[in-house]
Amino acid sequence: MNIEFRVFLNKERFSLIGVVIVSLLVIFAIVPNSFAISLVGAIFSLLWLIFRKSERNIFAEFGDKRFLIAFFGFATLVAIAACLHAYARMHSPGFDLSWFAQAISNVKFGELLRTTSELRNHYLLTHWEPILFTAVPLTYVFSGAVSIVLWQAIALLLGALAAWKISSFLFLNSRLPVLRYLTTILFIVSWINVNPIQFDAHPPVFGTLLFIPWIFYCIISDKSKYISFILLFFLLQCSEIFFSIAPVYFIYYILKDKVSNIRVLVSVFLYIAGFLLIGSFQRYFGPWLTGETFRFGDRFANVGGDGIGILQTFFRDPILVISQLFSVEKIKTFLKIFFYCGPFAFLAVFSKKYRLIAICVSFGCLAYFIQAGLSGGMMVSTNTHYISSLGTQWWILTVLGIYYLSIEFSSKNILLNKSVNFVFSNKKIIPFFMILFFLNTSEWRKSLLYPIRGLIEREKVNKEVRNFLTTIPREKGVMLNGTEWLCPLAANERKWLLCEGLVESVLTKMPLDVVVANKDSLKSTYESFSEHFKEMENGKIIKALITQEPNTVGWEKVGDYKQADLLYSSRKTTYYYTIWKKI
């Protein structure tokens, strides 16, 4: 090796050159609607460039107090932007925001979590999600859509506080104390955590953002186990998926003091019981509670439809279940999550001090992968908010993996030792962490700047349309067809709202007073109706709207509108829709 090349490979110069190259690549990768490294990554690359050039520990000089003020100030700004975006947006990335907004705003009228948006008329959204009731107080101040986004943003902020306490506890005596700052920042910038804020809402995500980090903090700091049990009780109110995730934390306490054959058997039974409880809820308890079959049955139709059905299918045809669980697309998604969320997570179980809790958290992640793997659609790609249910658990494993390398790692292999010492140098910020941050913020739409970008770039909904949709009397029945992205504006305190999905079954029950629709979509929907429904009153109304004869059924046209979407296409997409109302 010549002397020039050796100089180039000097760890300080090589790291500096790497930062510059990656910074340029990141900046040039930022284009609208690309799934490229986000602006957050570019900002961090520039920070690394500054830090690497300095011998000083800038974070240490900054101080804990200033760091926390800046950190939570920035996180609060993002939360506010998300709420403003929820109010101003014309397009909901998913339709969840409208039916969660309708559900929580209906509680004030004594109707529990009643929703007709997208689904049949039922309670608790056919999920086990009583935690939604905690969002209701916000509806007395804000609209339902803003309330549900703010509710989830509060969970992220409170969870971030626990992340700081976890990081401070783990890396208090680290050879690189700056790790506690970096891992805390990692919690708030990781797309797997911030994705749900831009994606509207989902109760399981609320649980994983808020309760799991505090449960983990209580465990590692050896707080009273009863505090953990109380938090676990609240976690179980967030979704039936936690019936299989929460037991792993109980298992930790079972095995904490002594690992014996009988305790391991009890732990295995408890873990399996969680899955059986999900199956029982989906097959028996849920339908008894709501009066309906399990809503997500179509996603598991190929393997039995629900938890009990999947178990029966497995005993009858295990190859069918296994093939769906380990399909090529789902393995690719798992690998994406691995690269996005940091390979450090897989080192967590090597930690001597925290090996037991790391193994338990790993099984908590496994519970999600089993559910998503058996689903027909939940884990096909990483752009779904369901993956955010993994967020904090994956962050915990990542932090424990970093802890293992920085505190406990020992090896007789000289190359390995040199590599670890290089990554965890005493005087410099860790070069490898830059890559970790990039991977965690690698998709623009999932970065925490998405709401801010949406506010800046998106054309707002026509004021006349906004005013009309937000002032429709509560008892009026509203149908949106081909314009589901407007549903959040009409969902607040809505008694009857139909956005998509089970159209005919809902329209046979609900009054029809307002229709907001794309004409082609409405025509296609009408053609899917049964002949019997076409002869009913609502069927005749929709036919008259399609044929441009609203007056014949006592209706009138409010107006024709068009809206450009700047965010979801590389070129402007224009939506055309009409609003009709009953005279």
Side-chain angles (χ1 to χ4, degrees), residues 309-359:
I310 291 171
L311 186 63
Q312 294 171 339
T313 304
F314 178 78
F315 286 121
R316 184 175 64 252
D317 188 358
I319 300 301
L320 174 63
V321 176
I322 293 172
S323 64
Q324 180 157 324
L325 186 63
F326 294 102
S327 68
V328 173
E329 288 299 321
K330 287 170 182 175
I331 291 176
K332 286 168 61 178
T333 302
F334 174 80
L335 292 175
K336 282 185 179 180
I337 295 173
F338 165 66
F339 286 116
Y340 286 157
C341 303
F344 280 132
F346 289 83
L347 299 174
V349 294
F350 291 102
S351 170
K352 295 179 182 178
K353 188 173 183 180
Y354 297 112
R355 180 176 298 158
L356 178 58
I357 184 60
I359 292 173

Side-chain angles (χ1 to χ4, degrees), residues 430-566:
I430 307 166
F432 194 75
F433 264 88
M434 178 182 65
I435 301 172
L436 190 64
F437 278 119
F438 288 160
L439 294 175
N440 274 275
T441 60
S442 61
E443 297 189 20
W444 173 275
R445 295 180 186 176
K446 298 174 183 63
S447 79
L448 72 174
L449 294 184
Y450 171 91
I452 299 175
R453 180 188 177 204
L455 283 174
I456 295 173
E457 293 190 1
R458 188 189 299 279
E459 291 183 3
K460 305 302 183 292
V461 178
N462 182 294
K463 288 185 179 180
E464 182 181 353
V465 175
R466 171 180 293 281
N467 292 337
F468 180 82
L469 293 179
T470 55
T471 56
I472 300 172
R474 165 179 160 74
E475 66 278 359
K476 300 293 184 181
V478 182
M479 172 185 175
L480 292 96
N481 190 270
T483 54
E484 288 81 10
W485 36 273
L486 287 170
C487 280
L489 292 176
N492 195 50
E493 300 183 358
R494 175 67 48 222
K495 188 171 184 178
W496 290 99
L497 177 66
L498 177 61
C499 285
E500 70 154 357
L502 306 166
V503 180
E504 185 172 330
S505 61
V506 175
L507 281 175
T508 55
K509 303 175 184 177
M510 69 177 278
L512 194 56
D513 300 283
V514 176
V515 172
V516 184
N518 172 276
K519 295 177 183 178
D520 292 336
S521 296
L522 189 61
K523 182 179 179 180
S524 177
T525 298
Y526 178 79
E527 291 172 350
S528 69
F529 290 147
S530 66
E531 293 301 321
H532 173 70
F533 181 77
K534 289 179 180 179
E535 296 303 317
M536 297 176 64
E537 180 181 1
N538 285 347
K540 292 179 179 179
I541 290 173
I542 293 174
K543 181 180 180 181
L545 301 182
I546 293 172
T547 58
Q548 302 296 311
E549 299 173 337
N551 294 334
T552 61
V553 289
W555 279 57
E556 65 179 358
K557 183 166 68 175
V558 174
D560 287 308
Y561 303 94
K562 64 180 181 179
Q563 193 74 42
D565 181 0
L566 300 179

